[in-house]
Amino acid sequence: MALKELISKLPMEDLLNVQTRPFSNHSVEFKTPFTADERAKMLEEVGLNVFFFPSQMITGCDFLSDSGTTTMTSEQWAALHTGDEAYGSNRGYFKLMEQVQDVFGEKYFSDPTAGKPNAFIFHQGRAAEDALFSLIGRLGEGMIIPSNGHFDTTHANIEANGIKAVNLFSPELKKPGSLDLFKGNIDIDRLKELLEKSADKVPLIYVTITNNTGGGQPVSMENIKQVSDLARHYDIPFFIDACRFAENSWFIKKNEDAYKKTSIKDIVRKIFSYADGFTISFKKDGLSNMGGGFFAKSDGKFAKKYPELLDDMMNYQIIKEGHPTYGGLSGRDIMALATGLKTITKEEYLDYRIGQVQEFGESMKRKGLPVLTPTGGHAVYLDMNKFYEGTDMKPGDFGGISFTALLLAAYGHRACELGYFAFGSYDPETEEEHFPEVNFVRFAVPRLKYEKQDLESVAEAVKNIYDARQDIRPVDVVYGKELSLRHFKSRFKFRR
Ligand SMILES: *Cc1c(COP(=O)(O)O)cnc(C)c1O
């Protein structure tokens, strides 16, 4: 019997549950052992603010962010060595140009040797946002930029330039028990309403894929097309915050019927065919530790409507970051980034990456933990309101902060409170706290870094804390409750 026939008699499908990873370890880093007591002492020293906790002492998993925390591939490490540190038009810049053209479409990166640049690289996403919105801000007064959910730095950069940042979250996002698969969508009815009333005040429409502020939920191709049609109708440029473009494309392939047979690369091309430009942090789906960018389609609405802004962008960049041909990046970073962009659209990578995050969410769910469902592409969100249901924990007790402190001290895992403290605010006049609608602790999973065993261990640790939730103490804010972006700066103490 031929080997092929023998194989055909073996059950192959069943193996899907225990599929091997599509890569193997090339190099690993051993952790330094620390005890729970040592961590607790250090955490108290830094005022229970996990941002100030030395990462060297994290013996478990670090979920503070998935931004710039990726494990690079051996190809990327090799590419670092070929970095060209020339002061203008380094080798990597042209490699990046080829790669951006290949992934997003040729018109997003014109060859600057042949004319004016329409692609600008920055050291991070927020630097690209600052450039864009400070230029847009000069166009007039009373402007509004609507979005399906502005990321916090995007929001801050827009408002810092006197423009109003409006979030039109999908109504499905707040519906309890909704099984909608594209909760990241923009509320198209409210967008229509806004445009009917004030289209002349809208310099850009923004869509964030995936919707990081909205629970990391994906946006459908249908929704993207609807926004694009509306933008065209009103002659407004349509921009994408593209940080997780590959992960969003994976969700479109899995959950939108028309795209089940389309390759990820073609889905990405299709998304960006609808847009006029995008900003991006390459620390997410650039599979890199550093990098950002602003890209305007050469024949898109932005380039046509605001040609002078592209000139201004070049001036801005030279003053603040460097020549457009290296942006804020070293030549080796550009090489690592160009190489990372090749890997990120591979289906086997995305199947594994998002599969891992989904399985992490499922594991928590199986343990009876209240997580936001469906799980998004890069993080699992624990709903702290449900977590503390039936206990005495009140909003002003900041139980999310207590939880992250306990998880880090006891088990060595670092997660991030994104709820009543991070998104809430204190009014010194009325001495009152204002609480946001959502109250999460986020576990953002770094790319290619952890194995199933690591994440299982975290789910168990969370379950142990959940079982002991009646005993968890509130915290008092001992410093910084009135500050902006306070969760990065504040200090806390457990209440006696
Ligand atoms: C991370 C992020 C940004 C900002 O990028 P940085 O590189 O961190 O400055 C903007 N938008 C979204 C959706 C992000 O996730």
Side-chain angles (χ1 to χ4, degrees):
M1 206 185 263
L3 195 48
K4 208 171 138 189
E5 268 175 72
L6 283 172
I7 292 171
S8 72
K9 293 186 194 310
L10 291 172
M12 304 296 277
E13 296 299 316
D14 292 350
L15 280 181
L16 284 177
N17 289 328
V18 281
Q19 228 169 24
T20 56
R21 297 172 297 158
F23 55 85
S24 58
N25 298 349
H26 162 256
S27 126
V28 296
E29 185 180 1
F30 274 85
K31 298 169 185 168
T32 318
F34 284 96
T35 63
D37 284 349
E38 286 168 323
R39 282 193 301 266
K41 185 165 174 284
M42 175 54 76
L43 196 55
E44 278 171 350
E45 273 173 37
V46 300
L48 307 183
N49 184 327
V50 298
F51 282 93
F52 291 107
F53 189 85
S55 77
Q56 205 204 329
M57 294 181 74
I58 295 176
T59 49
C61 295
D62 193 351
F63 298 114
L64 194 55
S65 177
D66 68 321
S67 172
T69 54
T70 179
T71 295
M72 292 205 294
T73 65
S74 52
E75 228 185 314
Q76 284 177 291
W77 284 110
L80 279 182
H81 283 280
T82 62
D84 168 12
E85 308 299 343
Y87 198 63
S89 299
N90 69 75
R91 182 164 61 223
Y93 178 76
F94 294 99
K95 256 197 114 65
L96 181 65
M97 179 173 82
E98 267 174 41
Q99 208 47 53
V100 167
Q101 289 175 343
D102 183 54
V103 173
F104 300 98
E106 266 135 49
K107 292 184 172 151
Y108 282 107
F109 206 135
S110 306
D111 190 337
T113 54
K116 276 200 285 193
N118 63 339
F120 299 88
I121 38 182
F122 290 88
H123 72 280
Q124 281 195 223
R126 65 198 65 188
E129 294 165 357
D130 175 38
L132 173 62
F133 299 120
S134 60
L135 298 181
I136 291 274
R138 296 184 199 157
L139 293 175
E141 306 259 295
M143 286 184 288
I144 306 166
I145 298 185
S147 167
N148 58 329
H150 288 293
F151 181 66
D152 53 12
T153 61
T154 323
H155 202 278
N157 270 307
I158 291 174
E159 302 238 318
N161 288 292
I163 309 167
K164 198 167 155 55
V166 173
N167 289 336
L168 305 174
F169 290 115
S170 162
E172 295 293 328
L173 189 62
K174 280 184 247 158
K175 243 181 233 167
S178 161
L179 294 176
D180 190 74
L181 294 169
F182 291 104
K183 288 182 185 166
N185 283 356
I186 198 165
D187 185 334
I188 209 83
D189 293 332
R190 284 174 65 204
L191 178 63
K192 269 186 203 154
E193 247 171 68
L194 187 148
L195 291 174
E196 265 165 37
K197 260 192 268 166
S198 353
D200 58 322
K201 298 234 164 14
V202 178
L204 288 177
I205 302 173
Y206 242 80
V207 166
T208 311
I209 62 172
T210 52
N211 194 339
N212 196 354
T213 307
Q217 301 287 308
V219 179
S220 71
M221 187 75 87
E222 191 192 355
N223 196 248
I224 290 169
K225 181 173 184 312
Q226 285 173 322
V227 176
S228 166
D229 287 347
L230 275 174
R232 237 135 273 229
H233 178 75
Y234 286 101
D235 196 38
I236 299 170
F238 168 35
F239 259 63
I240 293 180
D241 177 340
C243 292
R244 294 178 183 80
F245 71 94
E247 292 172 9
N248 198 93
S249 300
W250 184 90
F251 280 104
I252 288 176
K253 184 177 171 85
K254 293 294 153 186
N255 296 331
E256 208 165 338
D257 285 344
Y259 296 95
K260 290 235 180 314
K261 296 218 165 73
T262 316
S263 72
I264 295 288
K265 279 196 85 162
D266 286 345
I267 292 175
V268 174
R269 282 288 193 115
K270 183 98 186 154
I271 292 174
F272 288 88
S273 74
Y274 289 125
D276 298 301
F278 65 95
T279 51
I280 187 166
S281 166
F282 289 121
K283 298 170 75 173
K284 290 42 174 285
D285 280 359
L287 212 63
S288 313
N289 306 126
M290 214 50 187
F294 164 90
F295 301 87
K297 207 191 252 168
S298 56
D299 60 354
K301 189 128 284 166
F302 185 88
K304 285 202 180 125
K305 200 168 173 180
Y306 312 122
E308 71 290 353
L309 286 196
L310 289 182
D311 298 332
D312 294 346
M313 180 76 80
M314 190 154 168
N315 293 334
Y316 174 99
Q317 205 187 27
I318 292 169
I319 293 169
K320 298 249 186 165
E321 291 268 301
H323 192 259
T325 59
Y326 68 89
L329 294 175
S330 61
R332 54 182 174 275
D333 282 333
I334 296 177
M335 288 303 285
L337 163 55
T339 310
L341 273 178
K342 264 202 289 197
T343 304
I344 200 82
T345 54
K346 282 186 198 292
E347 311 224 11
E348 64 272 28
Y349 160 76
L350 286 167
D351 280 345
Y352 170 75
R353 154 71 175 161
I354 302 176
Q356 183 186 48
V357 176
Q358 307 267 300
E359 175 50 33
F360 184 28
E362 283 305 310
S363 173
M364 292 238 214
K365 233 166 73 183
R366 284 194 297 270
K367 291 180 166 53
L369 298 167
V371 290
L372 178 72
T373 52
T375 305
H378 72 285
V380 173
Y381 293 75
L382 190 62
D383 185 331
M384 297 317 285
N385 290 344
K386 291 193 184 138
F387 185 97
Y388 285 118
E389 235 164 50
T391 73
D392 295 334
M393 195 68 80
K394 291 177 201 57
D397 294 340
F398 301 119
I401 301 288
S402 310
F403 171 84
T404 55
L406 198 51
L407 181 68
L408 182 52
Y411 297 105
H413 305 304
R414 177 157 66 175
C416 186
E417 197 265 3
L418 287 177
Y420 286 162
F421 193 74
F423 297 141
S425 59
Y426 176 75
D427 184 341
E429 264 172 38
T430 59
E431 299 187 356
E432 269 173 26
E433 277 284 339
H434 295 285
F435 300 109
E437 287 173 46
V438 290
N439 186 27
F440 292 119
V441 163
R442 185 185 72 180
F443 299 76
V445 184
R447 292 168 186 79
L448 301 174
K449 192 159 182 165
Y450 296 120
E451 298 180 16
K452 189 179 167 112
Q453 178 185 356
D454 298 316
L455 303 186
E456 262 311 303
S457 161
V458 176
E460 256 180 56
V462 175
K463 169 79 163 88
N464 290 349
I465 296 179
Y466 184 62
D467 290 344
R469 64 192 178 282
Q470 291 290 356
D471 299 328
I472 301 179
R473 304 287 305 143
V475 293
D476 287 321
V477 189
V478 292
Y479 167 74
K481 67 179 168 192
E482 71 291 348
L483 301 176
S484 67
L485 300 169
R486 61 185 185 171
H487 62 299
F488 294 117
K489 311 168 189 166
S490 285
R491 310 285 166 147
F492 313 87
K493 236 190 172 127
F494 276 102
R495 200 176 297 160
R496 304 215 168 266

Short mmCIF file of all heavy atoms in Angstrom, two decimals, residues 65-68 122-129 149-155 157 206 208-213 241-244 279-284 289-293 378 442 447, ligand 1:
data_model
loop_
_atom_site.label_atom_id
_atom_site.label_comp_id
_atom_site.label_asym_id
_atom_site.label_seq_id
_atom_site.Cartn_x
_atom_site.Cartn_y
_atom_site.Cartn_z
N SER A 65 0.90 45.24 27.45
CA SER A 65 0.58 45.72 26.10
C SER A 65 1.02 44.68 25.08
O SER A 65 1.89 43.84 25.37
CB SER A 65 1.32 47.02 25.82
OG SER A 65 1.07 47.44 24.51
N ASP A 66 0.43 44.75 23.90
CA ASP A 66 0.91 43.92 22.78
C ASP A 66 1.66 44.83 21.81
O ASP A 66 1.92 44.47 20.68
CB ASP A 66 -0.27 43.27 22.05
CG ASP A 66 -1.14 44.29 21.32
OD1 ASP A 66 -1.36 45.39 21.87
OD2 ASP A 66 -1.59 44.00 20.19
N SER A 67 2.01 46.03 22.28
CA SER A 67 2.60 47.04 21.41
C SER A 67 4.12 47.03 21.53
O SER A 67 4.66 47.34 22.59
CB SER A 67 2.06 48.41 21.82
OG SER A 67 2.74 49.41 21.12
N GLY A 68 4.79 46.67 20.44
CA GLY A 68 6.25 46.67 20.45
C GLY A 68 6.84 45.58 21.32
O GLY A 68 8.02 45.59 21.63
N PHE A 122 7.56 57.31 10.91
CA PHE A 122 7.74 57.96 12.21
C PHE A 122 8.21 56.92 13.23
O PHE A 122 8.13 55.73 12.96
CB PHE A 122 6.41 58.57 12.68
CG PHE A 122 5.97 59.75 11.87
CD1 PHE A 122 5.20 59.58 10.73
CD2 PHE A 122 6.33 61.04 12.24
CE1 PHE A 122 4.79 60.67 9.97
CE2 PHE A 122 5.91 62.13 11.49
CZ PHE A 122 5.14 61.95 10.36
N HIS A 123 8.65 57.41 14.39
CA HIS A 123 9.15 56.44 15.37
C HIS A 123 8.02 55.64 16.02
O HIS A 123 8.23 54.53 16.45
CB HIS A 123 10.04 57.11 16.42
CG HIS A 123 9.30 57.97 17.40
ND1 HIS A 123 8.89 59.25 17.11
CD2 HIS A 123 8.88 57.71 18.65
CE1 HIS A 123 8.26 59.74 18.17
NE2 HIS A 123 8.23 58.84 19.10
N GLN A 124 6.81 56.22 16.08
CA GLN A 124 5.65 55.50 16.62
C GLN A 124 4.40 56.00 15.92
O GLN A 124 4.42 57.04 15.26
CB GLN A 124 5.47 55.77 18.12
CG GLN A 124 6.38 55.00 18.99
CD GLN A 124 5.97 54.98 20.46
OE1 GLN A 124 6.82 55.12 21.30
NE2 GLN A 124 4.70 54.78 20.79
N GLY A 125 3.31 55.28 16.16
CA GLY A 125 2.04 55.68 15.57
C GLY A 125 1.61 57.08 15.99
O GLY A 125 1.15 57.89 15.19
N ARG A 126 1.79 57.39 17.28
CA ARG A 126 1.28 58.66 17.80
C ARG A 126 2.01 59.86 17.21
O ARG A 126 1.47 60.95 17.13
CB ARG A 126 1.33 58.67 19.33
CG ARG A 126 2.70 58.62 19.92
CD ARG A 126 2.65 58.20 21.38
NE ARG A 126 2.15 56.82 21.50
CZ ARG A 126 1.86 56.25 22.67
NH1 ARG A 126 1.99 56.92 23.80
NH2 ARG A 126 1.44 55.01 22.72
N ALA A 127 3.29 59.68 16.78
CA ALA A 127 4.02 60.77 16.15
C ALA A 127 3.41 61.06 14.78
O ALA A 127 3.29 62.22 14.37
CB ALA A 127 5.49 60.41 16.02
N ALA A 128 2.98 60.01 14.08
CA ALA A 128 2.30 60.19 12.80
C ALA A 128 0.96 60.90 13.02
O ALA A 128 0.57 61.79 12.25
CB ALA A 128 2.07 58.84 12.13
N GLU A 129 0.27 60.53 14.11
CA GLU A 129 -1.01 61.17 14.42
C GLU A 129 -0.80 62.66 14.74
O GLU A 129 -1.55 63.51 14.26
CB GLU A 129 -1.66 60.51 15.65
CG GLU A 129 -2.08 59.07 15.40
CD GLU A 129 -2.38 58.33 16.70
OE1 GLU A 129 -2.21 58.90 17.80
OE2 GLU A 129 -2.80 57.16 16.60
N GLY A 149 -14.21 54.38 16.95
CA GLY A 149 -13.60 54.34 18.28
C GLY A 149 -12.17 54.82 18.15
O GLY A 149 -11.32 54.08 17.69
N HIS A 150 -11.94 56.08 18.52
CA HIS A 150 -10.57 56.60 18.45
C HIS A 150 -9.72 55.96 19.54
O HIS A 150 -10.14 55.85 20.68
CB HIS A 150 -10.56 58.12 18.69
CG HIS A 150 -11.13 58.92 17.55
ND1 HIS A 150 -10.51 59.01 16.33
CD2 HIS A 150 -12.24 59.69 17.45
CE1 HIS A 150 -11.22 59.80 15.52
NE2 HIS A 150 -12.28 60.22 16.18
N PHE A 151 -8.53 55.56 19.20
CA PHE A 151 -7.57 55.09 20.19
C PHE A 151 -7.20 56.28 21.10
O PHE A 151 -7.33 57.43 20.68
CB PHE A 151 -6.33 54.55 19.47
CG PHE A 151 -5.28 54.01 20.39
CD1 PHE A 151 -5.53 52.88 21.15
CD2 PHE A 151 -4.04 54.62 20.49
CE1 PHE A 151 -4.56 52.37 22.00
CE2 PHE A 151 -3.07 54.12 21.34
CZ PHE A 151 -3.33 53.00 22.09
N ASP A 152 -6.73 56.02 22.32
CA ASP A 152 -6.55 57.15 23.25
C ASP A 152 -5.57 58.21 22.76
O ASP A 152 -5.82 59.40 22.89
CB ASP A 152 -6.26 56.69 24.70
CG ASP A 152 -5.10 55.73 24.83
OD1 ASP A 152 -4.35 55.58 23.84
OD2 ASP A 152 -4.93 55.14 25.90
N THR A 153 -4.44 57.78 22.13
CA THR A 153 -3.50 58.81 21.65
C THR A 153 -4.08 59.56 20.45
O THR A 153 -3.83 60.74 20.27
CB THR A 153 -2.14 58.21 21.23
OG1 THR A 153 -2.33 57.28 20.16
CG2 THR A 153 -1.46 57.52 22.40
N THR A 154 -4.86 58.85 19.63
CA THR A 154 -5.49 59.49 18.47
C THR A 154 -6.46 60.56 18.98
O THR A 154 -6.46 61.70 18.51
CB THR A 154 -6.26 58.45 17.62
OG1 THR A 154 -5.53 57.23 17.61
CG2 THR A 154 -6.48 58.93 16.21
N HIS A 155 -7.28 60.15 19.93
CA HIS A 155 -8.25 61.05 20.56
C HIS A 155 -7.54 62.29 21.09
O HIS A 155 -7.92 63.43 20.81
CB HIS A 155 -8.94 60.30 21.71
CG HIS A 155 -10.26 60.85 22.09
ND1 HIS A 155 -10.39 61.94 22.92
CD2 HIS A 155 -11.52 60.49 21.77
CE1 HIS A 155 -11.67 62.21 23.09
NE2 HIS A 155 -12.38 61.34 22.40
N ASN A 157 -4.53 63.48 20.38
CA ASN A 157 -3.89 64.29 19.34
C ASN A 157 -4.91 65.13 18.56
O ASN A 157 -4.63 66.25 18.16
CB ASN A 157 -3.10 63.41 18.37
CG ASN A 157 -1.67 63.22 18.83
OD1 ASN A 157 -0.96 64.19 19.10
ND2 ASN A 157 -1.25 61.98 18.95
N TYR A 206 -12.53 58.56 10.19
CA TYR A 206 -11.53 57.59 10.63
C TYR A 206 -12.18 56.27 11.02
O TYR A 206 -13.22 56.27 11.68
CB TYR A 206 -10.81 58.13 11.88
CG TYR A 206 -9.33 58.34 11.69
CD1 TYR A 206 -8.85 59.46 11.06
CD2 TYR A 206 -8.43 57.39 12.14
CE1 TYR A 206 -7.49 59.66 10.88
CE2 TYR A 206 -7.07 57.57 11.96
CZ TYR A 206 -6.61 58.70 11.32
OH TYR A 206 -5.27 58.88 11.14
N THR A 208 -10.92 52.64 12.89
CA THR A 208 -9.81 51.93 13.54
C THR A 208 -10.01 50.43 13.40
O THR A 208 -11.04 49.90 13.81
CB THR A 208 -9.77 52.29 15.04
OG1 THR A 208 -9.85 53.70 15.19
CG2 THR A 208 -8.50 51.79 15.70
N ILE A 209 -9.03 49.75 12.78
CA ILE A 209 -9.15 48.29 12.63
C ILE A 209 -7.94 47.62 13.31
O ILE A 209 -6.83 48.06 13.08
CB ILE A 209 -9.25 47.87 11.15
CG1 ILE A 209 -8.01 48.28 10.36
CG2 ILE A 209 -10.49 48.45 10.50
CD1 ILE A 209 -7.97 47.74 8.94
N THR A 210 -8.20 46.64 14.18
CA THR A 210 -9.44 46.39 14.88
C THR A 210 -9.71 47.52 15.89
O THR A 210 -8.82 48.32 16.14
CB THR A 210 -9.36 45.06 15.68
OG1 THR A 210 -8.15 45.10 16.49
CG2 THR A 210 -9.21 43.85 14.75
N ASN A 211 -10.91 47.55 16.41
CA ASN A 211 -11.32 48.66 17.27
C ASN A 211 -10.78 48.48 18.70
O ASN A 211 -11.45 47.93 19.57
CB ASN A 211 -12.85 48.74 17.28
CG ASN A 211 -13.38 50.02 17.85
OD1 ASN A 211 -12.68 50.71 18.58
ND2 ASN A 211 -14.62 50.33 17.55
N ASN A 212 -9.58 48.95 18.91
CA ASN A 212 -8.88 48.73 20.19
C ASN A 212 -9.68 49.27 21.37
O ASN A 212 -9.85 48.60 22.39
CB ASN A 212 -7.50 49.41 20.12
CG ASN A 212 -6.56 48.93 21.20
OD1 ASN A 212 -6.95 48.18 22.08
ND2 ASN A 212 -5.32 49.36 21.14
N THR A 213 -10.20 50.51 21.23
CA THR A 213 -10.97 51.12 22.31
C THR A 213 -12.29 50.37 22.53
O THR A 213 -12.81 50.33 23.63
CB THR A 213 -11.23 52.60 22.00
OG1 THR A 213 -9.97 53.21 21.71
CG2 THR A 213 -11.88 53.33 23.14
N ASP A 241 -7.11 53.88 10.79
CA ASP A 241 -6.08 53.64 11.80
C ASP A 241 -5.80 52.15 11.68
O ASP A 241 -6.59 51.31 12.11
CB ASP A 241 -6.59 54.02 13.20
CG ASP A 241 -5.57 53.71 14.30
OD1 ASP A 241 -4.66 52.88 14.05
OD2 ASP A 241 -5.68 54.27 15.39
N ALA A 242 -4.66 51.82 11.05
CA ALA A 242 -4.44 50.47 10.52
C ALA A 242 -3.62 49.56 11.44
O ALA A 242 -3.14 48.52 10.99
CB ALA A 242 -3.75 50.58 9.17
N CYS A 243 -3.50 49.93 12.72
CA CYS A 243 -2.57 49.21 13.60
C CYS A 243 -2.69 47.69 13.53
O CYS A 243 -1.71 46.98 13.53
CB CYS A 243 -2.75 49.68 15.04
SG CYS A 243 -2.23 51.38 15.23
N ARG A 244 -3.93 47.17 13.48
CA ARG A 244 -4.10 45.72 13.45
C ARG A 244 -4.84 45.30 12.17
O ARG A 244 -5.80 44.54 12.19
CB ARG A 244 -4.83 45.26 14.72
CG ARG A 244 -3.98 45.50 15.96
CD ARG A 244 -4.62 45.13 17.27
NE ARG A 244 -3.75 45.47 18.39
CZ ARG A 244 -3.62 46.69 18.90
NH1 ARG A 244 -4.34 47.69 18.41
NH2 ARG A 244 -2.77 46.91 19.87
N THR A 279 -2.96 55.88 8.99
CA THR A 279 -1.86 56.00 9.95
C THR A 279 -1.72 54.63 10.60
O THR A 279 -2.68 53.86 10.66
CB THR A 279 -2.14 57.06 11.04
OG1 THR A 279 -3.42 56.80 11.61
CG2 THR A 279 -2.12 58.46 10.46
N ILE A 280 -0.51 54.35 11.08
CA ILE A 280 -0.30 53.02 11.64
C ILE A 280 0.81 53.05 12.68
O ILE A 280 1.73 53.87 12.59
CB ILE A 280 0.05 52.00 10.51
CG1 ILE A 280 0.11 50.57 11.04
CG2 ILE A 280 1.35 52.38 9.81
CD1 ILE A 280 0.11 49.50 9.95
N SER A 281 0.67 52.17 13.67
CA SER A 281 1.78 51.86 14.57
C SER A 281 2.30 50.50 14.14
O SER A 281 1.58 49.51 14.23
CB SER A 281 1.29 51.81 16.01
OG SER A 281 2.29 51.20 16.82
N PHE A 282 3.53 50.44 13.69
CA PHE A 282 4.10 49.16 13.27
C PHE A 282 4.48 48.28 14.45
O PHE A 282 4.97 47.18 14.29
CB PHE A 282 5.30 49.39 12.35
CG PHE A 282 4.93 49.92 10.99
CD1 PHE A 282 5.42 51.13 10.53
CD2 PHE A 282 4.08 49.20 10.17
CE1 PHE A 282 5.07 51.61 9.27
CE2 PHE A 282 3.72 49.68 8.90
CZ PHE A 282 4.23 50.88 8.45
N LYS A 283 4.26 48.81 15.67
CA LYS A 283 4.52 48.03 16.87
C LYS A 283 3.44 46.97 17.08
O LYS A 283 3.54 46.14 17.97
CB LYS A 283 4.57 48.96 18.10
CG LYS A 283 5.70 49.98 18.01
CD LYS A 283 5.58 51.04 19.08
CE LYS A 283 5.99 50.47 20.41
NZ LYS A 283 6.05 51.52 21.45
N LYS A 284 2.39 47.04 16.28
CA LYS A 284 1.35 46.02 16.34
C LYS A 284 1.55 45.10 15.13
O LYS A 284 2.40 44.23 15.16
CB LYS A 284 -0.04 46.66 16.31
CG LYS A 284 -0.49 47.44 17.55
CD LYS A 284 0.50 48.31 18.19
CE LYS A 284 0.02 49.18 19.31
NZ LYS A 284 -0.75 50.34 18.99
N ASN A 289 9.34 46.12 17.03
CA ASN A 289 9.39 46.73 18.35
C ASN A 289 9.27 48.25 18.27
O ASN A 289 9.08 48.92 19.28
CB ASN A 289 10.67 46.33 19.06
CG ASN A 289 10.85 44.82 19.10
OD1 ASN A 289 11.86 44.29 18.68
ND2 ASN A 289 9.85 44.12 19.58
N MET A 290 9.41 48.80 17.08
CA MET A 290 9.37 50.26 16.92
C MET A 290 8.88 50.61 15.51
O MET A 290 9.10 49.86 14.58
CB MET A 290 10.79 50.80 17.12
CG MET A 290 10.84 52.15 17.77
SD MET A 290 9.82 52.15 19.25
CE MET A 290 9.86 53.82 19.72
N GLY A 291 8.26 51.79 15.38
CA GLY A 291 7.90 52.28 14.05
C GLY A 291 6.45 52.68 13.90
O GLY A 291 5.56 52.15 14.57
N GLY A 292 6.22 53.69 13.07
CA GLY A 292 4.88 54.14 12.75
C GLY A 292 4.90 54.80 11.39
O GLY A 292 5.97 54.94 10.78
N GLY A 293 3.72 55.21 10.92
CA GLY A 293 3.73 55.85 9.61
C GLY A 293 2.43 56.54 9.25
O GLY A 293 1.38 56.31 9.87
N HIS A 378 -6.36 40.61 19.81
CA HIS A 378 -5.07 40.79 20.46
C HIS A 378 -5.13 40.74 21.99
O HIS A 378 -4.10 40.80 22.64
CB HIS A 378 -4.43 42.11 20.02
CG HIS A 378 -5.10 43.34 20.59
ND1 HIS A 378 -6.31 43.81 20.14
CD2 HIS A 378 -4.72 44.17 21.58
CE1 HIS A 378 -6.63 44.90 20.82
NE2 HIS A 378 -5.70 45.13 21.71
N ARG A 442 -7.41 44.37 31.09
CA ARG A 442 -7.04 43.82 29.77
C ARG A 442 -5.79 42.96 29.87
O ARG A 442 -4.81 43.34 30.51
CB ARG A 442 -6.79 44.97 28.79
CG ARG A 442 -6.52 44.47 27.37
CD ARG A 442 -6.15 45.61 26.45
NE ARG A 442 -4.82 46.11 26.75
CZ ARG A 442 -4.23 47.12 26.09
NH1 ARG A 442 -4.87 47.72 25.10
NH2 ARG A 442 -3.02 47.52 26.41
N ARG A 447 2.86 39.24 20.59
CA ARG A 447 2.92 38.31 19.45
C ARG A 447 4.10 37.34 19.55
O ARG A 447 5.21 37.77 19.84
CB ARG A 447 3.00 39.11 18.13
CG ARG A 447 1.71 39.85 17.86
CD ARG A 447 1.81 40.88 16.75
NE ARG A 447 0.54 41.61 16.68
CZ ARG A 447 0.22 42.59 17.53
NH1 ARG A 447 1.06 43.00 18.43
NH2 ARG A 447 -0.97 43.17 17.45
C1 LIG B 1 -0.99 51.62 19.55
C2 LIG B 1 -2.02 52.31 18.81
C3 LIG B 1 -1.83 53.62 18.34
C4 LIG B 1 -0.60 54.46 18.68
O1 LIG B 1 0.60 53.88 18.27
P1 LIG B 1 1.95 54.01 19.12
O2 LIG B 1 2.98 53.34 18.26
O3 LIG B 1 1.75 53.33 20.43
O4 LIG B 1 2.25 55.46 19.29
C5 LIG B 1 -2.85 54.17 17.59
N1 LIG B 1 -3.98 53.51 17.32
C6 LIG B 1 -4.19 52.25 17.76
C7 LIG B 1 -5.46 51.55 17.42
C8 LIG B 1 -3.23 51.60 18.52
O5 LIG B 1 -3.46 50.36 18.96
#
